[in-house]
Amino acid sequence: MNEVIDRKPNCRSYLRKRYDARRSIHRRVPWKGFTLFAVNAVAIAFFVFDRPLGKAATSLSPPLVSIAGDVTDIGRLVWILVGLSTILATGYFVRRRLWKVRRRFRLVHFGQMTAYAGLSVLFASIISNLLKFALGRARPLLYDQEGIFSFSPFNMDFLHQSFPSGHSSNIGALFMALALLFPRFRLGFIGIGLWLGATRVIIGVHYPSDVAAGLALGAWLAFATSILFARFGLVFSIGRDGWPTPRLSRLL
């Protein structure tokens, strides 16, 4: 019991030392440009695309809707966290059986990367669900009755929890995290994320602006979480341009 109590302050002081050692190189998070871009993307989607796509969602090709329905649940929080937890647990048990220091170090770093991705998605899910509950936007399923401007704040009904898209927030966080962790494949991850977000529109449960807001929110939270990790010297370091870069790119 005493050992457990003693370890907590040590871990806290260890992180504090890492944070303080990097305090002089902390940079401001470049949030203004991102916010301006995200707000404009959501506004354009809201005023230009929501109405025509709200009408068209019921007349899309059944095979397309079926395919989108099969892959859209990749964005469910439970599946993402189960997958990441499985990877983390596997890495932990494998690490305990390794005797070479370099291999153990690689797995510890890989565990930190997995924890980063998991926290990014978790933060995105919590915030997006709070927002959709507070705003209460009607889903496209109610388009004929309520249109695109219907809001019913603090409504527990699934049909009034459209903005932002929770699945898209999770996808935005996950694939932004992957894009930051593996810069070489950044464009591929961004493309996959956009297509997975689009499935929410194709199956008729979200408007384009819901998806745009969800993707932007998730991507921003993954970026902000990477900055937080970098300030403790975990997984990332901050470049001169203010962007996080993987600390041990040779291991990736």
Side-chain angles (χ1 to χ4, degrees):
M1 187 62 152
N2 291 334
E3 291 181 3
V4 174
I5 295 174
D6 290 337
R7 285 178 184 175
K8 290 184 178 178
N10 290 338
C11 180
R12 203 177 299 122
S13 63
Y14 172 72
L15 289 175
R16 169 58 64 182
K17 288 179 180 178
R18 292 181 69 93
Y19 183 88
D20 290 340
R22 293 162 178 80
R23 187 185 295 275
S24 62
I25 60 173
H26 287 177
R27 299 178 182 273
R28 291 184 178 182
V29 180
W31 61 271
K32 292 182 180 179
F34 184 91
T35 302
L36 180 63
F37 172 81
V39 169
N40 278 281
V42 173
I44 291 171
F46 188 90
F47 291 108
V48 177
F49 297 111
D50 282 6
R51 190 181 299 278
L53 288 179
K55 293 180 180 179
T58 57
S59 59
L60 293 175
S61 168
L64 176 62
V65 175
S66 177
I67 293 172
D70 290 337
V71 302
T72 193
D73 277 347
I74 292 174
R76 291 188 64 183
L77 177 66
V78 63
W79 292 122
I80 293 175
L81 293 185
V82 166
L84 292 174
S85 298
T86 301
I87 294 172
L88 191 62
T90 302
Y92 173 77
F93 288 115
V94 170
R95 180 182 67 85
R96 297 192 64 179
R97 287 163 174 75
L98 294 177
W99 60 273
K100 288 190 176 181
V101 174
R102 182 173 176 81
R103 290 181 180 177
R104 289 172 66 92
F105 176 74
R106 285 182 175 181
L107 280 175
V108 168
H109 183 73
F110 186 71
Q112 293 175 355
M113 292 164 56
T114 306
Y116 155 68
L119 285 173
S120 298
V121 174
L122 187 60
F123 292 155
S125 180
I126 291 172
I127 294 176
S128 66
N129 279 285
L130 288 174
L131 286 173
K132 67 166 56 185
F133 172 67
L135 295 173
R137 188 188 189 189
R139 292 182 183 270
L141 300 170
L142 297 177
Y143 175 80
D144 292 335
Q145 294 82 18
E146 302 189 25
I148 67 172
F149 295 102
S150 176
F151 292 87
S152 179
F154 305 105
N155 193 325
M156 294 297 293
D157 183 11
F158 166 81
L159 294 175
H160 287 88
Q161 295 182 1
S162 188
F163 185 94
S165 165
H167 279 65
S168 297
S169 297
N170 299 340
I171 288 297
L174 176 63
F175 283 90
M176 182 61 167
L178 292 174
L180 291 173
L181 290 169
F182 305 99
R184 187 180 305 175
F185 307 106
R186 183 170 293 169
L187 292 178
F189 288 131
I190 292 173
I192 294 172
L194 290 174
W195 275 106
L196 288 174
T199 62
R200 306 305 290 167
V201 177
I202 294 171
I203 65 175
V205 295
H206 283 290
Y207 291 105
S209 60
D210 302 332
V211 171
L215 290 173
L217 176 64
W220 168 250
L221 288 170
F223 180 80
T225 304
S226 72
I227 297 291
L228 178 63
F229 269 61
R231 289 184 174 179
F232 287 95
L234 301 173
V235 183
F236 296 100
S237 58
I238 301 298
R240 293 182 179 179
D241 57 358
W243 276 80
T245 57
R247 294 185 68 234
L248 303 176
S249 57
R250 287 176 298 177
L251 300 181
L252 303 181

